[in-house]
Amino acid sequence: MAVAHKSAISVGLIYVPVSLYKTTRNTAISFNQLCKDENGKYQRIKYQKLCPSCNSEVKSSDIIKGYEYEKGKYVTISNDELERIKSKSDKTIHVLHFAKMTDIDQLYYDKNYYIVPDRGGEKAFELLRQALLSQKKVAIAKTVMGTKEELIVLYPTKTDIIAKILFFQEEIQPAPTINKVSIDKNELEMAKTLINSMTDKFAPDHDEYQAKLHDAIQTKINGQEVVVADDSQPNSVIDLMSALQQSIDLANTQASNNMAS
């Protein structure tokens, strides 16, 4: 697994060199964009980076970063200059303070990284993990990744510390307005019953659509037609209480079948 980012956790006078690794990988099927040529053969579409002045292709090594401060006027900045402006605090995962795990709204979480201590930092890392976990607290920290400062939560688990990247307040959009409606007490109790009847231990599921997509691709490779999926839905509109009751009955039936099997 490739290292996504090299840094160090800084807590007071404690300094723990660490490496960050992505916690997820993309398993989605990717498609190429094609064009049918005059001979009826498919060719992949190519994207080229062209200079508008000389109309020639530009290599990645020749491309530099530029900021447009006025229309048509740019100031360029090199990767070396970007590194120069980073302080030691910028380059480290600098812990600002600690907080309760429940203090952070799930809306702020963006992406996750595994934090792995480098050689020599294992004991301080494990001490931090156990101390956080025992108090059910997280560390709130900041660091610079690339050209952006990131707000980070160091979240302890039974085996690891996860770096959870947070959105800043200004990045969160206000929620759309929802019309408030009154809920009948019986409807609420029925909804609670439905939730209880469908409550189970969490287990990450599989991507069923990707499996269907694999099958469809293999069907096309075999020279066959892709059949329409069976997606029959009831056409009649039923009232909420009836829908809740039918959902509860269905959940109970499925639970019974699972126990029997």
Side-chain angles (χ1 to χ4, degrees):
M1 188 186 301
V3 176
H5 183 69
K6 295 285 289 184
S7 187
I9 298 174
S10 173
V11 190
L13 298 178
I14 299 173
Y15 186 83
V16 188
V18 296
S19 300
L20 273 62
Y21 297 83
K22 290 183 178 179
T23 61
T24 58
R25 59 191 175 97
N26 185 9
T27 60
I29 293 174
S30 59
F31 291 96
N32 295 314
Q33 293 183 316
L34 307 174
C35 177
K36 187 182 288 187
D37 63 18
E38 57 186 13
N39 297 318
K41 292 184 177 180
Y42 290 110
Q43 304 292 339
R44 285 186 62 175
I45 302 297
K46 293 183 179 180
Y47 290 91
Q48 296 176 312
K49 296 177 180 179
L50 300 175
C51 174
S53 297
C54 55
N55 199 34
S56 59
E57 186 175 359
V58 182
K59 297 178 181 178
S60 297
S61 58
D62 295 328
I63 297 175
I64 57 177
K65 293 180 176 68
Y67 177 79
E68 187 176 25
Y69 62 94
E70 287 182 17
K71 185 67 176 177
K73 293 184 178 181
Y74 299 88
V75 60
T76 62
I77 186 164
S78 67
N79 290 330
D80 182 57
E81 289 171 320
L82 289 172
E83 285 301 313
R84 282 185 220 160
I85 64 173
K86 293 179 182 177
S87 66
K88 185 178 180 180
S89 177
D90 291 333
K91 294 179 181 180
T92 62
I93 301 173
H94 181 64
V95 174
L96 305 173
H97 63 89
F98 299 95
K100 294 179 181 178
M101 291 181 176
T102 54
D103 282 351
I104 303 169
D105 193 312
Q106 295 293 314
L107 183 65
Y108 288 91
Y109 289 124
D110 180 16
K111 63 184 92 171
N112 301 323
Y113 292 92
Y114 291 118
I115 303 180
V116 177
D118 293 342
R119 183 172 294 181
E122 295 90 347
K123 186 171 184 178
F125 180 87
E126 179 61 14
L127 179 63
L128 178 62
R129 186 194 68 81
Q130 289 191 28
L132 287 172
L133 193 62
S134 65
Q135 297 190 62
K136 296 184 178 179
K137 289 186 178 180
V138 296
I140 310 299
K142 278 187 176 182
T143 192
V144 174
M145 298 177 69
T147 58
K148 185 177 183 295
E149 185 177 55
E150 301 284 7
L151 186 62
I152 295 179
V153 165
L154 303 184
Y155 194 98
T157 70
K158 291 181 179 180
T159 55
D160 303 288
I161 295 179
I162 307 296
K164 292 179 173 287
I165 309 298
L166 299 180
F167 290 110
F168 286 101
Q169 180 62 53
E170 59 267 26
E171 295 178 296
I172 302 295
Q173 296 198 89
T177 303
I178 300 175
N179 294 328
K180 299 297 181 182
V181 295
S182 59
I183 299 297
D184 181 77
K185 183 178 179 181
N186 292 331
E187 292 174 339
L188 181 58
E189 291 302 318
M190 190 73 79
K192 290 179 180 179
T193 302
L194 174 60
I195 291 172
N196 289 331
S197 66
M198 295 180 65
T199 298
D200 203 351
K201 186 176 180 180
F202 171 73
D205 209 339
H206 300 286
D207 189 339
E208 295 181 1
Y209 179 74
Q210 288 297 308
K212 291 180 182 179
L213 196 51
H214 275 288
D215 291 342
I217 290 171
Q218 190 59 51
T219 298
K220 293 281 288 185
I221 292 173
N222 295 338
Q224 301 170 337
E225 288 294 324
V226 177
V227 297
V228 178
D230 180 16
D231 194 25
S232 57
Q233 295 290 336
N235 294 321
S236 58
V237 178
I238 55 179
D239 66 89
L240 184 58
M241 289 293 285
S242 178
L244 286 167
Q245 185 59 60
Q246 290 184 37
S247 299
I248 292 168
D249 294 341
L250 178 61
N252 289 334
T253 300
Q254 291 176 340
S256 299
N257 292 340
N258 292 335
M259 290 179 64
S261 59

